[in-house]
Amino acid sequence: MSKRILFVFTSADKTLTGAQTGWYLPEAAHPYYILAPKYDIDFASPKGANPPVDESSVQNFKDDVGFLSDETVKQKFASAKKLSDVNVSDYDAIFYVGGHGPVIDLAQDPVNAKVASEFFQAGKVTSAVCHGPAALVGAKDANGDSIFKGRRATSFTNTEEEQVNKVKDIPFLVESRINELGGKFEKAPEPWGVHVVVDGNLITGQNPASAKGVGEAIDKALSS
């Protein structure tokens, strides 16, 4: 039986400034097409079916729009589970897709914090890219500490956030929060560079360009 991965998407469609947001297209598409041939993948979000895509990501990543018209993918979105209905024991890994949305909803969601904590404490692959690590800020290890405490991790950086002029759109900066939680934050030498960090079962990627590498790291972890 093939291993199973849960892709988690935001349900938030507006930032704090009222700008349209959602999940970021390449951050779902790139890992999906690396992992889908080998693993069973289910989709989930706080509100369930058809989570909103960030429209700017559809405009900026035209090469990935096929993901949105892929019949299998459309079916997965239509049948996406509510996070409250997720049974952690059904899965071998969890992956949080980025976009500004996760900082708005998943970061504050107690149901999500419980799900993420259960994955991590069970030794299952717990992974995220770009703003996706914001969904892990409430996750705790077996000692009750943040899963970032003393562990290496990355996310969308403060510099990258400033460069896209979105600091006021989100309740906190993800890099700053990981540092506040005791994480050993790492990043590419230059903004927008590819950077993937693996520390035990915690796998994180910095930005859209790192999404493919996160997919490869999940595959490697599940294959070993």
Side-chain angles (χ1 to χ4, degrees):
M1 213 171 111
S2 56
K3 292 184 175 176
R4 298 181 70 189
I5 304 170
L6 186 69
F7 272 45
V8 180
F9 297 81
T10 180
S11 292
D13 62 0
K14 293 272 189 293
T15 71
L16 298 183
T17 65
Q20 194 275 335
T21 193
W23 56 270
Y24 213 71
L25 178 58
E27 297 170 18
H30 297 179
Y32 177 83
Y33 287 118
I34 286 165
L35 298 166
K38 292 172 69 173
Y39 306 98
D40 288 333
I41 298 174
D42 285 341
F43 292 176
S45 77
K47 293 181 181 174
N50 297 313
V53 66
D54 183 319
E55 288 159 14
S56 71
S57 70
V58 179
Q59 299 304 318
N60 294 333
F61 292 88
K62 293 273 199 276
D63 290 351
D64 296 315
V65 294
F67 180 73
L68 298 172
S69 54
D70 181 317
E71 285 304 323
T72 305
V73 169
K74 282 162 73 173
Q75 206 173 341
K76 289 181 189 294
F77 275 128
S79 60
K81 300 179 180 193
K82 285 186 176 176
L83 270 178
S84 53
D85 294 334
V86 167
N87 185 350
V88 174
S89 62
D90 288 344
Y91 299 97
D92 301 282
I94 192 168
F95 168 64
Y96 289 92
V97 177
H100 285 89
V103 198
I104 308 286
D105 62 354
L106 289 163
Q108 280 76 241
D109 186 335
V111 173
N112 175 60
K114 181 172 179 286
V115 168
S117 301
E118 286 178 15
F119 267 93
F120 188 82
Q121 291 178 28
K124 297 171 190 269
V125 170
T126 305
S127 58
V129 70
C130 199
H131 292 86
L136 299 174
V137 300
K140 302 279 196 270
D141 65 15
N143 300 322
D145 293 321
S146 166
I147 66 171
F148 289 114
K149 186 179 177 183
R151 294 184 180 92
R152 295 163 44 246
T154 190
S155 73
F156 203 59
T157 65
N158 293 355
T159 302
E160 288 166 333
E161 204 68 80
E162 286 157 9
Q163 289 183 359
V164 296
N165 200 22
K166 288 283 188 182
V167 173
K168 290 181 177 163
D169 285 84
I170 47 176
F172 61 87
L173 294 170
V174 189
E175 175 184 347
S176 296
R177 182 61 59 89
I178 290 173
N179 281 321
E180 286 161 16
L181 292 169
K184 299 174 183 172
F185 194 86
E186 296 183 2
K187 54 192 167 188
E190 295 294 327
W192 311 101
V194 174
H195 197 69
V196 176
V197 179
V198 179
D199 191 332
N201 58 321
L202 179 63
I203 300 173
T204 48
Q206 181 174 326
N207 46 31
S210 307
K212 179 170 178 269
V214 171
E216 290 165 348
I218 294 168
D219 178 34
K220 189 176 175 187
L222 292 178
S223 305
S224 61

